[in-house]
Amino acid sequence: MSTTQSERLRGLLEPLVSAEQLDLEEIEVSRAGRRHVLRIVVDSEEGVELDACAELSRAISEKLDETDAMGDGEYVLEVSSPGADRPLTEHRHYVRATGRLAKFHLHEGGELVARILAVDEEGLDLEVPGVKGRKPTSRRVAFDEIAKARVEIEFSRKDKKEEEA
């Protein structure tokens, strides 16, 4: 997708997404045979429900039909929330992942798996799980030390409501 098409689509769609109190995370246009596929990824502090994606999809479809932003050819529109294992790239992603386990690839080399305890403007306060019966340790990581980060999916973790009961 050209930068100008990406910018045009973002400018056209961001107000629709914001009106639904959602964040526009990603716009991707790809080819599938003779048609294009337009993927829109949205998120919010509370997550995104299927009904919200469906409503937004209808609004985006109407807006695109009013313009020539996708050209004259056929296209498929997909509106979804990010997957559970999406990369953490924005400050708000780290804030939303507070309390979750994440895997960090550091610029200095090496990997770190730790729970995000707190997020501020400079970086993260983490809890690194103990190994072989040892207690967890605290660690501070600045954003500029992080090359890549992704939430780790935990299948056996109790949620906060279960822990409080």
Side-chain angles (χ1 to χ4, degrees):
M1 172 169 62
S2 71
T3 304
T4 54
Q5 184 184 26
S6 175
E7 290 168 358
R8 185 168 183 211
L9 285 169
R10 185 167 285 279
L12 188 67
L13 303 179
E14 197 134 39
L16 294 172
V17 174
S18 295
E20 299 295 324
Q21 285 79 45
L22 298 172
D23 296 319
L24 180 56
E25 295 289 345
E26 185 179 335
I27 297 175
E28 177 188 338
V29 177
S30 59
R31 289 198 64 76
R34 292 189 326 239
R35 22 177 143 171
H36 286 90
V37 177
L38 173 59
R39 286 186 184 88
I40 310 291
V41 179
V42 296
D43 201 5
S44 78
E45 295 295 324
E46 297 79 34
V48 182
E49 294 191 10
L50 186 58
D51 290 342
C53 285
E55 285 179 39
L56 185 59
S57 180
R58 284 189 287 275
I60 288 173
S61 181
E62 287 175 17
K63 181 59 98 176
L64 292 173
D65 288 347
E66 295 171 6
T67 69
D68 65 346
M70 288 301 295
D72 293 333
E74 295 179 21
Y75 68 91
V76 175
L77 173 63
E78 297 177 1
V79 177
S80 65
S81 62
D85 64 345
R86 70 119 179 256
L88 303 174
T89 57
E90 303 285 334
H91 185 269
R92 69 178 178 267
H93 298 164
Y94 290 99
V95 172
R96 289 177 187 157
T98 300
R100 308 273 314 266
L101 197 63
K103 184 176 194 176
F104 301 91
H105 295 269
L106 305 176
H107 285 297
E108 67 187 33
E111 293 179 352
L112 172 66
V113 176
R115 189 162 312 281
I116 301 172
L117 299 178
V119 181
D120 60 31
E121 296 305 314
E122 288 81 41
L124 311 167
D125 291 326
L126 305 173
E127 179 183 75
V128 181
V131 180
K132 295 183 182 177
R134 294 190 178 132
K135 291 185 177 185
T137 57
S138 297
R139 179 163 176 187
R140 175 80 180 166
V141 175
F143 287 120
D144 61 4
E145 295 177 60
I146 301 170
K148 292 189 314 187
R150 185 178 303 270
V151 169
E152 291 283 282
I153 298 172
E154 297 178 89
F155 293 105
S156 61
R157 177 171 161 85
K158 294 180 183 178
D159 66 16
K160 291 178 184 177
K161 291 178 186 171
E162 288 179 42
E163 290 175 0
E164 292 171 0

